[in-house]
Amino acid sequence: MTIKLTRHTSNPLIKPMDIKPLFTDFKVDSVFNAGVVKYDDDILLLLRVAESLKVKNGYDLSVPVIENNGKHHSLVIKTFNTKTDAEEYDFSDSRSISTKDENGNKKTKYLTSLSHLRIGRSKDGINFSIEDKAFIFPSQKYETWGIEDPRITKIGNVFYINYTGVSQYGACTVLAKTFDFKTYERLGVIFPPENKDVTIFPEKINGLYYAYHRPVPKSIGSPNIWTATSPDLINWGNHNHFMGTTDIGWESGRIGGGAPSFKTEKGWIHIYHAADKNDRYCLGAFITELDDPTKLIAKTKEPILEPEESYELKGFFDSVVFTCGLIIEGNKVKIYYGAADKYIALAEIDLQNLYKALEID
Amino acid sequence: MTIKLTRHTSNPLIKPMDIKPLFTDFKVDSVFNAGVVKYDDDILLLLRVAESLKVKNGYDLSVPVIENNGKHHSLVIKTFNTKTDAEEYDFSDSRSISTKDENGNKKTKYLTSLSHLRIGRSKDGINFSIEDKAFIFPSQKYETWGIEDPRITKIGNVFYINYTGVSQYGACTVLAKTFDFKTYERLGVIFPPENKDVTIFPEKINGLYYAYHRPVPKSIGSPNIWTATSPDLINWGNHNHFMGTTDIGWESGRIGGGAPSFKTEKGWIHIYHAADKNDRYCLGAFITELDDPTKLIAKTKEPILEPEESYELKGFFDSVVFTCGLIIEGNKVKIYYGAADKYIALAEIDLQNLYKALEID
């Protein structure tokens, strides 16, 4: 019998309609892929909120983009005519506008929505009060197309937040830190493009910080999970391939880190995501040695969560479950996940059952 | 008037026929893209030597690959039948064997030749005595398809060598060090896939090591030059986009570091490579501030060397000039370069003329 996560009956917990758009004339398309941490007796979600322009006149398609002149940044609305611009641009994907290069390779030129990071707080982990303003809004050179998929790692009294910065330069991983979720400081790009799904361990192991990261090479190789170590969280090295895609099945398209690993008596457990060749995203789990998170002990053979419910099957991008964070309460592992790139949902599992799913009980 | 490098009259200096193959039944296809350093009164070239199988029976195509079982490595010969295997594999590119994935994207599966690094020594910089054995032979997990394009940076009494490791995991940058060019130590992967054309500065600047690197993102972005800094040469961070491809012209396809930067009174000068959309590779130069190599002062508008001679136009891969190293002798900058991915050649320029090419004299 395959062991699965149990979905919360209130799913989806947060929907786009629960979020106030930041700007007039914008609508919220999606609220998903949240970093999760306990802070000040609250369960705090750092939500990825994607907004796009509400109005659409005839053949017009307007997209938001950040422009940064080196000193200041501004929100700029670019408008295309999907009829007259169809010679130059491809509008067939609702998520992006692309062109084709001379070799026929599709090149993304704009995203139709812009993501920022916003805070939600809850006492019960189910009912969230969501701020009307952004906590981190894209503003840097590497964020002009938005910031996405935050992970939070508490080390000492510092909350480290890593997120994906998307721009014409590619998708890279930016590190920031906060003490209070009121102000924050950006610490720069820690993994250059194309690299996302970075998760940082909450403590040093044998004197070094560890992270999983997911480079996406162009000419050779697949989107696989790698490990790296760091003396200071800023500079990373000792890169090693950790876990790869499979030829067939639910992990055949891409594989990447999910929620930052958590410590158990049996090892570090990590909830990760994998997609098949049809971009159907599932969650799995693996466990590594306590004193060496590059050493795999076991992984789940089947997904512990796969898109089955309507809010997972149909959304901004269909058939996706994807996590960026979880909390542990007693014996329960509570996994917050993005559903269909549109909603926030929750699923949980007892630690003992997770051991069983990993076949290490 | 565009200022160009002056080719040496003895070009090409080193040809495949000057190199003894490492293995019986192998031939040397290419000797190119050499790291360069002065050592022990010699000019030492660390040559990239590419070998492939000599014999070819009928439709057979045999390719060399390194297998590493975690403890040992071995050289394995894989043989394909270009007729009966044509359903599964694409043999049309002489450099590689590929397949197509379900989206029609070409995926490289094997290289037809295997590169290693070999030492050549010379008193005059023209006539080289080349060792019969490899200095660094591919043997690690990230090198199973060969090691390529070394750069050498002398820091104190240590020679740091970074090279491209190619394997099924992608093309990444590996760091090694030697004191004597007799033994060496690998220090691990410093830039994960896809990243090559890494050049390390020969001294700390404001307390940090600097490097240029060239990530190749898959979905968004171009093959551009980035900067990074490091406290220790092993761990790298503070990644920033430095110089990009252009829409048209000789830099429109890809751009990447060449020889490690050298210090002048006017700034750090770097000889880099760029290719247009037809994969025609040229050399250019740029100069950055002495106390901040992320700050560009000037770059050459036109190539300072472009493929024109027969040995540059026709080889293993046509129309390529590409450098990994140079030496300074008095006022002369002597640039060793790979020609048509097959030969080693030399071209030089007076420092004053290089300033003129950069329009900073």
Side-chain angles (χ1 to χ4, degrees), chain A residues 229-241:
Chain A
T229 62
S230 172
D232 54 15
L233 299 170
I234 304 295
N235 300 287
W236 292 88
N238 191 24
H239 301 277
N240 278 293
H241 184 269

Side-chain angles (χ1 to χ4, degrees), chain A residues 107 142 194 218-219 221 241, chain B residues 107 142 194 218-219 221 241:
Chain A
K107 273 294 198 188
Y142 308 111
E194 182 168 343
K218 186 173 184 187
S219 56
H241 184 269
Chain B
K107 272 294 198 189
Y142 308 111
E194 182 167 339
K218 187 173 183 186
S219 55
H241 183 268

Side-chain angles (χ1 to χ4, degrees), chain A residues 97-206:
Chain A
I97 298 175
S98 61
T99 57
K100 289 215 170 182
D101 70 13
E102 43 293 314
N103 299 320
N105 297 315
K106 191 176 151 179
K107 273 294 198 188
T108 304
K109 289 290 177 184
Y110 294 97
L111 301 183
T112 52
S113 65
L114 185 74
S115 288
H116 66 271
L117 307 184
R118 207 186 292 201
I119 290 172
R121 289 185 172 86
S122 173
K123 293 290 177 207
D124 60 7
I126 308 301
N127 299 286
F128 283 85
S129 163
I130 297 160
E131 296 186 355
D132 286 346
K133 63 183 200 315
F135 177 58
I136 307 183
F137 189 76
S139 61
Q140 306 295 300
K141 184 176 177 183
Y142 308 111
E143 305 174 357
T144 54
W145 297 4
I147 58 179
E148 306 180 349
D149 302 353
R151 274 82 171 182
I152 304 171
T153 304
K154 188 181 182 191
I155 301 178
N157 65 338
V158 184
F159 299 91
Y160 288 94
I161 299 163
N162 61 269
Y163 58 82
T164 306
V166 189
S167 72
Q168 59 167 309
Y169 303 112
C172 62
T173 296
V174 178
L175 185 65
K177 70 174 180 183
T178 182
F179 294 93
D180 54 11
F181 287 97
K182 287 175 189 150
T183 61
Y184 63 89
E185 182 190 351
R186 279 185 178 83
L187 302 171
V189 173
I190 54 171
F191 292 95
E194 182 168 343
N195 204 321
K196 49 188 183 177
D197 299 324
V198 170
T199 61
I200 296 172
F201 281 72
E203 60 184 74
K204 279 191 176 179
I205 299 161
N206 293 320

Side-chain angles (χ1 to χ4, degrees), chain B residues 74-344:
Chain B
S74 44
L75 176 65
V76 173
I77 311 301
K78 300 235 179 213
T79 299
F80 298 84
N81 185 305
T82 56
K83 198 173 179 188
T84 57
D85 291 335
E87 190 86 356
E88 189 175 357
Y89 296 101
D90 179 351
F91 300 103
S92 62
D93 187 327
S94 65
R95 297 170 299 170
S96 60
I97 297 174
S98 61
T99 56
K100 289 215 170 179
D101 69 13
E102 43 293 313
N103 299 319
N105 296 314
K106 191 175 149 177
K107 272 294 198 189
T108 304
K109 289 291 177 184
Y110 294 96
L111 302 182
T112 53
S113 65
L114 184 74
S115 288
H116 66 271
L117 307 183
R118 208 187 289 201
I119 290 172
R121 289 184 171 87
S122 172
K123 292 293 177 204
D124 61 8
I126 308 301
N127 299 288
F128 283 85
S129 163
I130 296 159
E131 293 186 357
D132 286 345
K133 62 182 199 317
F135 178 57
I136 307 183
F137 188 75
S139 62
Q140 306 295 300
K141 184 176 176 182
Y142 308 111
E143 306 175 355
T144 54
W145 297 5
I147 57 178
E148 306 180 349
D149 302 353
R151 274 81 171 183
I152 305 171
T153 303
K154 189 182 182 189
I155 301 177
N157 65 339
V158 183
F159 298 92
Y160 288 94
I161 299 163
N162 61 269
Y163 59 82
T164 307
V166 188
S167 72
Q168 59 166 310
Y169 303 111
C172 62
T173 296
V174 178
L175 184 66
K177 70 175 180 181
T178 182
F179 295 93
D180 55 11
F181 288 97
K182 286 175 191 151
T183 61
Y184 63 89
E185 182 189 352
R186 280 184 178 85
L187 301 172
V189 173
I190 54 171
F191 293 95
E194 182 167 339
N195 204 321
K196 48 188 184 177
D197 299 325
V198 170
T199 61
I200 297 171
F201 280 73
E203 60 185 74
K204 278 191 176 179
I205 299 161
N206 293 320
L208 289 171
Y209 294 108
Y210 279 77
Y212 296 120
H213 61 106
R214 208 282 300 279
V216 185
K218 187 173 183 186
S219 55
I220 302 168
S222 300
N224 292 343
I225 301 176
W226 286 59
T227 58
T229 62
S230 174
D232 54 14
L233 299 169
I234 304 296
N235 300 288
W236 292 87
N238 190 24
H239 300 277
N240 278 292
H241 183 268
F242 174 70
M243 187 179 286
T245 51
T246 50
D247 285 340
I248 54 166
W250 65 285
E251 299 177 295
S252 57
R254 52 185 61 233
I255 185 170
S261 297
F262 62 95
K263 203 174 192 174
T264 72
E265 54 177 355
K266 291 177 187 284
W268 290 101
I269 293 184
H270 192 96
I271 311 297
Y272 70 102
H273 73 266
D276 65 14
K277 287 172 180 170
N278 296 315
D279 290 331
R280 180 175 180 268
Y281 283 74
C282 296
L283 297 184
F286 62 77
I287 183 165
T288 57
E289 291 183 9
L290 281 178
D291 62 353
D292 186 353
T294 72
K295 294 228 171 84
L296 184 71
I297 297 171
K299 69 195 284 276
T300 52
K301 290 180 184 61
E302 300 296 325
I304 55 171
L305 189 71
E306 47 193 317
E308 290 166 327
E309 299 292 331
S310 60
Y311 54 89
E312 296 162 349
L313 292 169
K314 193 76 196 156
F316 191 71
F317 192 73
D318 297 347
S319 294
V320 175
V321 294
F322 187 100
T323 186
C324 293
L326 55 80
I327 55 166
I328 309 292
E329 281 189 345
N331 197 38
K332 292 258 184 258
V333 183
K334 298 187 168 188
I335 298 162
Y336 290 87
Y337 66 99
D341 278 12
K342 186 164 183 174
Y343 308 105
I344 290 285

Side-chain angles (χ1 to χ4, degrees), chain A residues 314-335:
Chain A
K314 193 76 194 157
F316 191 71
F317 191 72
D318 296 346
S319 294
V320 175
V321 293
F322 187 100
T323 186
C324 294
L326 55 81
I327 54 164
I328 309 292
E329 281 188 346
N331 197 39
K332 291 255 185 259
V333 183
K334 298 187 170 190
I335 299 163

